[in-house]
Amino acid sequence: MSAGQVLNEGKSKKMITTDDPEVLIQYFKDDATAFNGVKKGIIGSKGKVNCAISARIFQWLETEGVKTHYRGLQSEIEMLVDRVEIIPLEVVFRNVAAGSLAKRFGIEEGTELDSPLQEFFLKDDDLGDPLLTRNHVLAFGWADDETMDHLIAEGRKVHDLLTEFWKGLGIKLVDHKLEFGRRADGTIVLADEITPDGCRLWEIGTDRKMDKDRFRRSLGKVEETYAEVADLVAKALPLDAQV
Ligand code: UDP
């Protein structure tokens, strides 16, 4: 599909128009940021690796009955996706306390939660993505009750599928962030990306970090670990032939 104009450029991806008004190119950059853009860097081959991981996972989720924005690959670093209006909520699911949750409640990182925890954050970098309750979302009109119920139910389905998927690769899904969007026909679909940028992935048995915390916390072996995750995903989930 031929590329048009850059519609929107974010920290790690850009969205580009195509000749089909309902389809966009999601371009994966090597740029990495952390702490709300305060720490910046490049993770070599991240665009390629994250595009491949996301494509394989979206394609598999579709076979499990999850509607996603994924339509196929345009290149190694470009994915074709439905044009959607992103719902401005980060839907986070957690199995283990880490990151902002551990900090907020003074809980040791690595503490297993009794049951999966779902949280909403407002997608707004200028405000530092604040934590939201359902009441905030309703009061400000960011989403209605029905939409929230759908995000929670569909998010939980994706969370359960992904928890089992990563477990099968010897990886514990500690937490992850999902984003959803609305297609022109109103259908809500899973959007954005599923990659080590938006998940915490710990090797089972050793708790070795295999995600963006290697960059955030300057733990070294960032590129190698992203590539390792991509290899594991590629072995587990073949990519359909692209037309
Ligand atoms: N996350 C993300 N984008 C954000 C904030 C969080 O992808 O803007 C992911 C993060 O990688 C982790 C999960 O959501 O897997 C929970 O993040 P947390 O709230 O602990 O925040 P952080 O540690 O990033 O401050």
Side-chain angles (χ1 to χ4, degrees):
M1 213 169 260
S2 62
Q5 289 163 344
V6 176
L7 195 65
N8 169 40
E9 179 155 3
K11 289 176 289 190
S12 63
K13 297 187 294 296
K14 53 186 170 182
M15 307 304 293
I16 303 164
T17 59
T18 66
D19 36 27
D20 182 339
E22 296 307 323
V23 179
L24 297 177
I25 292 168
Q26 177 163 266
Y27 178 107
F28 288 76
K29 306 195 287 185
D30 288 347
D31 304 50
T33 62
F35 313 117
N36 235 344
V38 172
K39 178 168 177 168
K40 291 194 176 80
I42 299 278
I43 299 177
S45 301
K46 179 166 82 78
K48 191 172 133 188
V49 158
N50 278 359
C51 184
I53 295 173
S54 274
R56 290 170 193 273
I57 292 180
F58 279 136
Q59 189 191 270
W60 168 66
L61 286 173
E62 288 275 352
T63 68
E64 296 288 335
V66 176
K67 289 194 179 81
T68 80
H69 69 160
Y70 179 70
R71 291 211 181 184
L73 285 178
Q74 165 88 349
S75 76
E76 274 191 329
I77 52 168
E78 294 169 307
M79 176 182 283
L80 294 168
V81 297
D82 291 325
R83 186 177 191 140
V84 297
E85 190 189 326
I86 291 286
I87 298 169
L89 301 175
E90 298 190 338
V91 187
V92 168
F93 281 87
R94 306 178 185 267
N95 291 315
V96 176
S100 75
L101 179 74
K103 205 170 156 196
R104 195 178 324 126
F105 292 102
I107 290 170
E108 194 183 343
E109 209 171 58
T111 307
E112 299 267 347
L113 302 173
D114 287 349
S115 56
L117 173 66
Q118 182 268 318
E119 297 173 318
F120 286 113
F121 294 86
L122 182 64
K123 199 171 142 56
D124 187 327
D125 283 342
D126 292 342
L127 296 175
D129 296 345
L131 177 68
L132 300 173
T133 67
R134 186 180 183 105
N135 289 341
H136 289 108
V137 178
L138 294 174
F140 288 113
W142 288 314
D144 61 17
D145 250 322
E146 195 193 336
T147 305
M148 304 270 291
D149 286 344
H150 181 78
L151 298 183
I152 293 167
E154 194 67 0
R156 179 59 194 264
K157 179 176 172 182
V158 172
H159 172 73
D160 290 346
L161 284 165
L162 288 176
T163 298
E164 283 309 304
F165 168 70
W166 290 114
K167 194 170 159 189
L169 302 187
I171 293 173
K172 193 194 290 180
L173 178 60
V174 169
D175 57 31
H176 59 126
K177 186 252 313 180
L178 303 175
E179 290 187 26
F180 292 85
R182 261 193 208 87
R183 284 184 191 141
D185 66 3
T187 316
I188 295 178
V189 298
L190 183 67
D192 195 49
E193 61 182 292
I194 308 280
T195 68
D197 274 8
C199 307
R200 283 197 171 90
L201 304 169
W202 294 1
E203 184 178 52
I204 292 173
T206 65
D207 283 351
R208 175 170 63 104
K209 293 181 184 12
M210 304 182 76
D211 55 64
K212 204 166 101 175
D213 273 348
R214 300 209 72 84
F215 170 77
R216 289 191 191 97
R217 304 179 188 188
S218 304
L219 300 176
K221 293 206 165 131
V222 185
E223 282 90 352
E224 293 92 321
T225 311
Y226 270 66
E228 193 184 340
V229 173
D231 283 346
L232 287 170
V233 172
K235 282 191 190 114
L237 300 176
L239 198 57
D240 284 352
Q242 302 292 313
V243 281

